[in-house]
Amino acid sequence: SQQGEEDPQALSIQEGENATMNCSYKTSINNLQWYRQNSGRGLVHLILIRSNEREKHSGRLRVTLDTSKKSSSLLITASRAADTASYFCAFNAGNMLTFGGGTRLMVKP
Amino acid sequence: NAGVMQNPRHLVRRRGQEARLRCSPMKGHSHVYWYRQLPEEGLKFMVYLQKENIIDESGMPKERFSAEFPKEGPSILRIQQVVRGDSAAYFCASSGLTANTEAFFGQGTRLTVV
């Protein structure tokens, strides 16, 4: 399968804690993107990291990319209850944007 | 600049009917992607289109499903003779000048086949 794999599949933390989600893929990629999806809603683009970048920050988000290990991680610092959502990694391999299975994050107040 | 617009948001069809899902990409975007999502699962690629061309339809079932992105108007995903297994959320995304830029998603169409 060309799909990415994410772990953990589900993560439950307390407000204020950090959340780390990991994504692995199998092919060569041009870039990797992270998305958030609230229940029953569309996907919101969070961040894009190119294959020649190793780390990128956006507010409380930190994304790393290790092309030698074909993996990426998304770190959300100082989590809030509003961060509760599913998070997906997606990577450009050829024509399509291929998604991982997602991590369901629950942040308890 | 409006985002990616999909309509309808919810669609109910009886088995055997046709479903037509519409997607208007962001202004200036010429690449459109369709994805299907089953409950509690990730997104599965279906088809990638540019204006008037299907670039990659490797994820789309060979029968009953078709997609188009005409020169004028929205992209259409058409499902003929729907079956219960077609019930899912269908998302459209668009991206700009090349396929390797950020893709922005619509809110999806939730198809229920009864």
Side-chain angles (χ1 to χ4, degrees), chain A residues 2-108:
Chain A
Q2 285 189 318
Q3 274 201 313
E5 294 182 3
E6 294 184 62
D7 77 272
Q9 290 188 337
L11 180 61
S12 182
I13 59 174
Q14 293 295 134
E15 204 165 28
E17 293 181 337
N18 295 342
T20 299
M21 289 158 266
N22 303 296
C23 169
S24 61
Y25 55 91
K26 296 177 182 177
T27 63
S28 296
I29 62 170
N30 298 307
N31 61 58
L32 188 140
Q33 305 180 42
W34 285 90
Y35 290 83
R36 183 185 72 216
Q37 184 181 35
N38 289 83
S39 180
R41 305 295 297 274
L43 279 79
V44 174
H45 185 270
L46 295 177
I47 199 164
L48 178 151
I49 185 165
R50 301 195 185 281
S51 59
N52 61 353
E53 296 175 311
R54 291 295 167 260
E55 188 171 311
K56 207 160 182 180
H57 297 254
S58 176
R60 293 184 295 113
L61 305 180
R62 173 177 165 248
V63 167
T64 62
L65 179 64
D66 187 336
T67 52
S68 66
K69 294 181 179 176
K70 291 186 165 56
S71 67
S72 174
S73 67
L74 170 67
L75 169 67
I76 303 174
T77 60
S79 64
R80 305 167 182 168
D83 294 329
T84 294
S86 291
Y87 291 82
F88 295 92
C89 70
F91 50 89
N92 280 110
N95 289 322
M96 66 190 79
L97 193 61
T98 302
F99 282 80
T103 293
R104 282 167 284 288
L105 173 66
M106 174 172 287
V107 181
K108 300 175 185 175

Side-chain angles (χ1 to χ4, degrees), chain B residues 11-82:
Chain B
L11 182 61
V12 179
R13 284 287 177 266
R14 296 187 184 280
R15 279 177 296 171
Q17 290 184 319
E18 178 180 287
R20 291 170 75 89
L21 289 62
R22 294 175 189 78
C23 169
S24 296
M26 285 181 72
K27 188 176 180 181
H29 283 189
S30 57
H31 302 259
V32 166
Y33 312 82
W34 285 93
Y35 290 82
R36 178 164 63 180
Q37 186 180 35
L38 296 172
E40 306 299 321
E41 293 190 10
L43 280 79
K44 298 269 193 324
F45 169 80
M46 297 183 74
V47 61
Y48 162 43
L49 309 103
Q50 293 181 26
K51 282 285 186 182
E52 300 184 273
N53 289 305
I54 296 174
I55 307 302
D56 187 333
E57 56 182 349
S58 59
M60 200 153 69
K62 294 287 185 287
E63 298 181 355
R64 301 189 299 108
F65 285 72
S66 62
E68 62 177 14
F69 188 15
K71 188 177 180 180
E72 301 291 339
S75 175
I76 306 286
L77 179 67
R78 183 180 175 205
I79 311 172
Q80 295 178 292
Q81 299 176 316
V82 295

